[in-house]
Amino acid sequence: MANEIYPYLRRTLRGKVEATYGASTTINDADLVFALEAEVTYAPEVISRNGVSALRPGFRPYTGSLRGSYSVTTEVDASAIDGGTPTYPHCDPWISSSGFLKAVGNDAGLTDSRVGLSITSADSITYTINSNSSQALSSVKLQFDQVNADASKGIRTVLTGCRSSMTLDLVAGESVKLTLEGSGIATQPTDVATPSIDETYPAASVRPFVASGMAWSLTALEDSHAVISADIEYGGGSAAARVNQIRSLSIDTAQAVTEDVGLAASGAVARVRHSPTEPFTLSLVIECVDLDEWDSWDYITDNMTLHLTTLVSDSISSANSFYIDCYFTPTEITKSDGDGLCVLEITGQGIYPNDGTDGGGLKPASPLTLKFIKNND
């Protein structure tokens, strides 16, 4: 049937960072973005108009506010970045529109001994979570096409000025994933003749980071932010000496979005902006072997800060890596041995660090930093 729609199997999603918020942005075939799952929704609000009637109340609906939302699951990719051109990772539109400030640079002396990072010369793309500078944050335009069986026709939904909150998930042995929930300024979906079905991703050079063979470090800091016991670490760059293992790590950035509405706005929605009121939250599951220094409940009662760094390397090219640097305060700690091993689960909330002596030169200006690195040594 030529006009039958297959919304889940036959669809494409394209996205592009807007030069300025809501600006006219041309979406090209090459702007195809990879998504494991994607749903883009056009949801106009209907005005109920029950009028006076001689025999029965009449219903004469009419379109009011135009709203659009989206839900996307994608991967953190190990694309070769370039701090000079610049060349961003394929997942850049998603991170850029999720409340992170982006910085491009060439780093000299990029080191973190805790995770075995020591680079003389590197290109980097750094994303720093930001809660108080909405005007400086990026937005994206999304184009979602649903295509019929013979690709002769499709339905296109376009959202502009899109912003989202993001969850970063690392599960041992799986690709590193991003899940986004966001909103944008919507226009009514349109019919499209012969929609483009070109697929430029995934290419051989664009592959996901996989949560395996990664180095990590968890350091306990006093509430004064002085390092205790010469850095109590778990993980670290020496795999043979550190037998505790991270099973999973999940970070919910909590960058909530809200809609600015106004009389002059098309569809009554003028802008989607970030309005976070809560810190990011973190869930860390660790398989423990050595518990000698795990005074885990003291971390809560003593109001300690934990500093977590991880380094995920590309399974094919050792030049590419993905670095996570975050500071958080534990809010709940549980231990279990249900599978015959001692498993520690730490739940926490992000906290701003205030000690410039810690961090190996990579201490962020905010509690959460994501960095894509290309080793030029």
Side-chain angles (χ1 to χ4, degrees):
M1 297 175 62
N3 294 320
E4 189 169 356
I5 295 290
Y6 294 81
Y8 292 100
L9 297 179
R10 301 180 183 272
R11 51 188 179 166
T12 61
L13 179 64
R14 290 175 170 81
K16 195 170 187 178
V17 175
E18 297 172 329
T20 57
Y21 186 84
S24 177
T25 303
T26 301
I27 296 290
N28 301 309
D29 290 349
D31 295 321
L32 193 77
V33 290
F34 176 69
L36 296 167
E37 299 177 7
E39 192 65 44
V40 179
T41 304
Y42 168 73
E45 292 189 357
V46 177
I47 301 172
S48 177
R49 303 167 63 228
N50 294 320
V52 175
S53 172
L55 301 177
R56 58 182 175 85
F59 179 66
R60 299 291 183 269
Y62 199 75
T63 301
S65 299
L66 303 182
R67 287 183 163 83
S69 62
Y70 61 96
S71 174
V72 173
T73 301
T74 186
E75 295 172 330
V76 176
D77 59 283
S79 303
I81 63 164
D82 190 325
T85 308
T87 302
Y88 304 117
H90 190 81
C91 59
D92 170 74
W94 304 121
I95 303 176
S96 294
S97 60
S98 295
F100 285 77
L101 293 175
K102 178 169 56 182
V104 180
N106 302 103
D107 293 299
L110 191 60
T111 62
D112 187 342
S113 60
R114 297 183 179 120
V115 292
L117 180 63
S118 179
I119 302 175
T120 303
S121 175
D123 287 344
S124 67
I125 309 293
T126 302
Y127 300 88
T128 303
I129 197 169
N130 187 277
S131 304
N132 54 17
S133 183
S134 295
Q135 297 299 321
L137 299 177
S138 298
S139 58
V140 296
K141 178 179 179 179
L142 296 181
Q143 177 180 295
F144 184 64
D145 289 349
Q146 296 172 285
V147 183
N148 63 2
D150 61 2
S152 64
K153 188 177 181 181
I155 298 176
R156 175 169 296 170
T157 303
V158 175
L159 302 182
T160 60
C162 295
R163 286 175 172 151
S164 64
S165 187
M166 180 181 81
T167 300
L168 171 65
D169 288 301
L170 292 83
V171 178
E174 298 184 10
S175 59
V176 180
K177 295 182 178 64
L178 298 175
T179 302
L180 305 105
E181 301 285 342
S183 300
I185 299 174
T187 55
Q188 184 170 324
T190 58
D191 292 336
V192 180
T194 60
S196 172
I197 56 174
D198 290 344
E199 296 189 17
T200 59
Y201 184 93
S205 60
V206 182
R207 54 191 172 272
F209 281 107
V210 177
S212 64
M214 56 182 275
W216 63 281
S217 168
L218 183 61
T219 305
L221 308 177
E222 302 254 22
D223 54 358
S224 62
H225 291 261
V227 181
I228 63 174
S229 300
D231 287 353
I232 296 176
E233 295 186 16
Y234 307 90
S238 179
R242 305 296 187 180
V243 290
N244 298 314
Q245 296 290 334
I246 289 183
R247 289 187 172 185
S248 65
L249 168 64
S250 180
I251 301 175
D252 182 347
T253 61
Q255 292 291 87
V257 296
T258 188
E259 296 172 339
D260 289 342
V261 299
L263 298 178
S266 176
V269 179
R271 172 186 293 269
V272 174
R273 61 180 173 85
H274 287 101
S275 57
T277 58
E278 300 291 335
F280 76 81
T281 57
L282 175 149
S283 176
L284 178 67
V285 179
I286 302 175
E287 177 186 307
C288 302
V289 176
D290 184 1
L291 296 176
D292 288 346
E293 292 179 324
W294 279 101
D295 298 323
S296 51
W297 287 276
D298 287 344
Y299 296 158
I300 295 179
T301 57
D302 292 347
N303 192 31
M304 290 186 181
T305 294
L306 299 185
H307 181 198
L308 174 67
T309 56
T310 70
L311 184 68
V312 187
S313 298
D314 182 6
S315 58
I316 295 179
S317 172
S318 59
N320 303 323
S321 55
F322 177 57
Y323 178 86
I324 304 171
D325 189 351
C326 66
Y327 291 78
F328 67 97
T329 297
T331 56
E332 182 178 358
I333 298 178
T334 59
K335 289 180 179 178
S336 66
D337 57 0
D339 55 1
L341 296 170
C342 182
V343 176
L344 189 75
E345 181 172 356
I346 303 175
T347 302
Q349 293 185 344
I351 186 170
Y352 279 80
N354 62 10
D355 189 320
T357 65
D358 192 59
L362 290 174
K363 189 190 77 62
S366 75
L368 175 60
T369 295
L370 312 176
K371 184 185 287 285
F372 292 81
I373 301 170
K374 184 181 74 170
N375 188 343
N376 295 326
D377 289 349

